Amino acid sequence: MLNQPELIGTDGISAKELRNRLGMSQTAFWQRVVGTQSAGRLYENKRRISARIAYLLHLAYGMEAQATALLQWLRQAACPPALPCTKS
């Protein structure tokens, strides 16, 4: 069983730092993840990011190996944290 990879953006501070390192505007950065600059601004100011948004940030902006590791972990996990699961 794979261990959950360390995510690259787990709070508003780290997400803003990542956006600044990439030299992206709030609009361009957050459009890939939540669709609007205003939602992204709230995340950056509120500082708390849900696991779902952290997963999307990781997939959108992580290096290929990082994104692949998260995808593999999500696919093998019976019920990843913060994702709805149905009993089969």
Side-chain angles (χ1 to χ4, degrees), residues 2-5 58 63-74:
L2 298 171
N3 292 327
Q4 179 179 0
H58 195 85
M63 298 171 97
E64 189 68 27
Q66 292 173 309
T68 299
L70 177 61
L71 188 57
Q72 288 174 342
W73 178 79
L74 288 169

Side-chain angles (χ1 to χ4, degrees), residues 38-87:
S38 59
R41 184 184 71 237
L42 290 174
Y43 283 120
E44 288 185 12
N45 291 331
K46 189 177 173 186
R47 304 292 192 251
R48 187 170 180 276
I49 291 179
S50 70
R52 290 178 186 204
I53 298 301
Y55 294 158
L56 291 171
L57 282 169
H58 195 85
L59 292 171
Y61 296 109
M63 298 171 97
E64 189 68 27
Q66 292 173 309
T68 299
L70 177 61
L71 188 57
Q72 288 174 342
W73 178 79
L74 288 169
R75 287 182 175 172
Q76 64 87 40
C79 185
L83 296 179
C85 295
T86 58
K87 294 184 179 185

Side-chain angles (χ1 to χ4, degrees), residues 10-52:
T10 56
D11 59 29
I13 294 169
S14 62
K16 185 175 183 176
E17 288 172 353
L18 175 61
R19 178 176 66 77
N20 287 332
R21 269 197 318 274
L22 295 171
M24 297 178 76
S25 68
Q26 278 186 334
T27 301
F29 182 82
W30 288 104
Q31 189 171 29
R32 288 186 185 178
V33 181
V34 294
T36 66
Q37 175 271 335
S38 59
R41 184 184 71 237
L42 290 174
Y43 283 120
E44 288 185 12
N45 291 331
K46 189 177 173 186
R47 304 292 192 251
R48 187 170 180 276
I49 291 179
S50 70
R52 290 178 186 204

